Amino acid sequence: MSGRTERNAVARARLEAALPPLFPGAVLAHARGQTWVPNLPRLAMESYWRGHPARADRLARALAARSGAPDGWRWTLDSEADTDQPRSFRMPPAPYRDPGHGRGPGHCCICGQPVFRFGWHEDLWATGRPNPRARWHAACVAAWKFWLAPNTQIKILSRLQARRCAVTGQRLLRDAEADHRVPLFRVWRQERDRPWPELLSYWGWPNLQAVNRPAHRAKTAGEARSRAGKSMTGAPALEA
């Protein structure tokens, strides 16, 4: 028996022993099929959403739509280094990360909805209350990481586009990069007053495409010229 096989047998046994009577079947099937089997239900949950970033993105935005923005909240940028609020338009707006708007223990600081056992988003176990020690849904963690670093999922984007560059139509190369169809600086300038849950789509799959690096550089250069031209005509300059 190889080391990995032996380790997975132990992990699988520990996972099965720790499972509650009710557990999402899709999560369990995913865990059992991993190269390295997670040995705890919480780790199985994290592995599932990490392996399904598109589902995590859709769910996180749906949960945010269920919450809506807090009363009086508006997307702004904060220059202070010790705050959880965005300091750049490249970071998704997250009102519930603001202590003034957070919903307290047991609620996700990304979407604002209750967090239940193992970071799940529904009260599958009928406890009647969220987990008071939780601050994130497992799905929202995966979505947040994806929103901040979409290049980590370039293989999925490439497959969805039949391995064709979204800008040139040519075959995607190994150095292809993720690109926001609507640039984030334009979202900040022109769309920031849209309802908060709708804003999140600009960081998610609906606004992403895979492009070859030369095409991406050319597109970025054109956007930079556009920004510079608007700044020279009186629009406030924005950080890069």
Side-chain angles (χ1 to χ4, degrees):
M1 181 182 291
S2 70
R4 185 175 70 188
T5 302
E6 184 176 358
R7 181 265 176 201
N8 280 345
V10 173
R12 191 175 290 108
R14 185 178 179 188
L15 174 63
E16 300 286 347
L19 286 173
L22 287 176
F23 195 74
V27 176
L28 186 57
H30 174 85
R32 288 169 172 164
Q34 293 305 290
T35 302
W36 297 99
V37 176
N39 59 9
L40 292 172
R42 174 181 57 83
L43 298 179
M45 196 76 74
E46 293 173 0
S47 174
Y48 174 80
W49 289 114
R50 192 166 55 246
H52 297 89
R55 295 180 192 177
D57 166 59
R58 288 194 298 269
L59 177 59
R61 290 188 285 110
L63 292 171
R66 187 182 299 175
S67 297
D71 291 340
W73 177 85
R74 187 171 183 268
W75 183 23
T76 59
L77 300 182
D78 197 328
S79 60
E80 297 296 327
D82 58 350
T83 178
D84 284 335
Q85 290 305 294
R87 296 185 292 277
S88 166
F89 56 79
R90 298 192 182 282
M91 181 176 287
Y96 293 105
R97 296 187 74 194
D98 183 344
H101 294 299
R103 292 183 167 179
H107 290 78
C108 181
C109 63
I110 297 303
C111 71
Q113 288 292 298
V115 185
F116 299 98
R117 283 183 84 179
F118 312 121
W120 198 241
H121 54 284
E122 294 180 348
D123 190 7
L124 184 63
W125 301 272
T127 61
R129 58 185 177 84
N131 178 358
R133 295 178 296 176
R135 292 188 66 243
W136 299 75
H137 291 117
C140 290
V141 172
W144 184 257
K145 291 180 177 179
F146 165 62
W147 294 339
L148 293 180
N151 272 320
T152 59
Q153 305 301 333
I154 192 66
K155 289 183 179 180
I156 297 178
L157 283 170
S158 173
R159 187 166 65 248
L160 292 174
Q161 295 173 198
R163 294 176 174 78
R164 293 289 172 181
C165 174
V167 172
T168 66
Q170 298 175 350
R171 184 171 181 80
L172 278 170
L173 304 176
R174 290 184 178 181
D175 62 356
E177 299 172 337
D179 171 64
H180 295 92
R181 292 185 176 91
V182 178
L184 297 181
F185 80 87
R186 192 168 295 156
V187 176
W188 166 252
R189 280 179 166 166
Q190 301 175 1
E191 307 292 341
R192 66 174 178 264
D193 290 328
R194 293 175 66 90
W196 165 63
E198 294 180 16
L199 284 173
L200 293 179
S201 66
Y202 289 109
W203 281 264
W205 293 99
N207 193 39
L208 288 172
Q209 58 188 1
V211 298
N212 285 325
R213 184 174 294 177
H216 194 192
R217 288 179 177 174
K219 180 175 179 289
T220 301
E223 293 166 356
R225 288 193 295 271
S226 174
R227 291 170 61 188
K230 289 183 179 180
S231 296
M232 292 177 64
T233 59
L238 296 175
E239 61 184 280

